[in-house]
């Protein structure tokens, strides 16, 4: 297994806007699988390329109980959202912190496959929430941006302090995160 380093909030590289993928080759497939390995090892259910400092519109997701149904979203776009819900979210780039975020329970989205073919899909529940969370990453947005300025600043300071002390929560310390 080959893994990548996950950036942590408030790293400014997490605010970059990912670029559309135009080359569909073995390098893209390899990157997607490295991201998947990184996500699994980190106990995540979703990971955007921007979180590993790669400015490409690529997302990997696996919300299955057995962790055996990975999804690869290339240049994903949500084109319909319905049924607002509030759910607790965490993030591999904001380790150890969770809070309520409002999202949509049902979405329709388009994504390319590894051959560049665009297909339309529907998602609901946790998968829909995860897709919205990861697409936010591709657009330079984190789940903490839905929180108050005070909460976001406190989280940033706490993460910076824990990082300096070498005490950032690890994959062994936290439950699954988006």
């Amino acid at each position: 297994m080959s893994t990548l380093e996950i950036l942590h909030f408030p790293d400014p590289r997490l605010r970059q806007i990912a670029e559309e993928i135009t080359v569909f080759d073995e390098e893209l497939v390899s990157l997607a699988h490295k991201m998947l390995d990184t996500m699994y090892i980190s106990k995540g259910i979703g990971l955007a390329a921007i979180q590993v400092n790669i400015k490409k519109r690529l997302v990997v997701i696996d919300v299955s109980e057995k962790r055996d149904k990975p999804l690869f979203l290339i240049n994903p776009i949500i084109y319909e959202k319905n049924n607002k819900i509030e759910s607790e979210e965490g993030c591999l780039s904001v380790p150890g912190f969770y809070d309520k975020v409002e999202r949509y329970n049902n979405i329709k989205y388009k994504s390319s496959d590894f051959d560049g073919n665009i297909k339309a899909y529907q998602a609901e529940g946790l998968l829909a929430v995860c897709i919205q969370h990861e697409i936010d990453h591709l657009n330079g947005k984190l789940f903490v941006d839905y929180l108050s300025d005070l909460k976001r600043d406190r989280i940033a300071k706490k993460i910076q302090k824990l990082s300096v002390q070498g005490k950032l929560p690890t994959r062994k310390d936290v439950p699954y995160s988006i």
Side-chain angles (χ1 to χ4, degrees):
M1 274 192 186
S2 178
T3 61
L4 305 163
E5 182 182 345
I6 296 174
L7 302 176
H8 294 116
F9 175 71
D11 191 313
R13 294 173 290 179
L14 289 166
R15 300 302 185 173
Q16 298 177 94
I17 308 298
E19 298 168 1
E20 186 172 334
I21 292 171
T22 57
V23 177
F24 299 85
D25 58 9
E26 284 303 313
E27 188 176 315
L28 179 62
V29 174
S30 176
L31 171 60
H33 285 281
K34 284 179 186 175
M35 286 174 56
L36 192 65
D37 289 346
T38 302
M39 181 192 76
Y40 284 146
I41 287 171
S42 301
K43 294 178 69 172
I45 59 172
L47 184 68
I50 208 75
Q51 290 178 270
V52 291
N53 200 29
I54 297 170
K55 287 178 58 175
K56 293 186 178 188
R57 296 192 74 77
L58 173 63
V59 168
V60 297
I61 294 174
D62 190 344
V63 297
S64 67
E65 284 186 37
K66 293 183 179 180
R67 316 285 288 148
D68 62 352
K69 293 186 171 84
L71 297 175
F72 301 97
L73 308 182
I74 302 167
N75 301 326
I77 297 171
I78 297 171
Y79 64 90
E80 189 175 311
K81 305 174 194 179
N82 295 297
N83 191 14
K84 281 189 178 181
I85 59 166
E86 187 176 74
S87 61
E88 188 164 271
E89 288 187 24
C91 180
L92 293 175
S93 291
V94 190
F97 294 89
Y98 302 85
D99 214 315
K100 299 263 185 215
V101 175
E102 192 173 86
R103 302 274 188 191
Y104 292 89
N105 194 48
N106 305 89
I107 63 167
K108 291 183 180 180
Y109 68 99
K110 293 180 183 180
S111 176
S112 295
D113 62 19
F114 286 119
D115 294 319
N117 301 311
I118 300 171
K119 297 179 181 176
Y121 304 91
Q122 293 183 27
E124 64 182 18
L126 180 58
L127 178 57
V129 168
C130 189
I131 291 169
Q132 292 165 81
H133 178 108
E134 299 308 330
I135 289 176
D136 273 356
H137 275 299
L138 300 178
N139 295 323
K141 188 170 184 174
L142 290 97
F143 93 94
V144 294
D145 295 337
Y146 292 92
L147 308 178
S148 70
D149 291 344
L150 179 62
K151 275 188 179 181
R152 187 172 45 256
D153 290 345
R154 283 185 179 164
I155 290 170
K157 287 177 184 168
K158 182 80 170 177
I159 287 177
Q160 287 174 324
K161 181 180 177 181
L162 291 172
S163 183
V164 166
Q165 296 172 347
K167 296 181 180 179
L168 256 183
T170 66
R171 62 182 172 269
K172 294 177 279 185
D173 303 327
V174 297
Y176 287 100
S177 292
I178 296 177

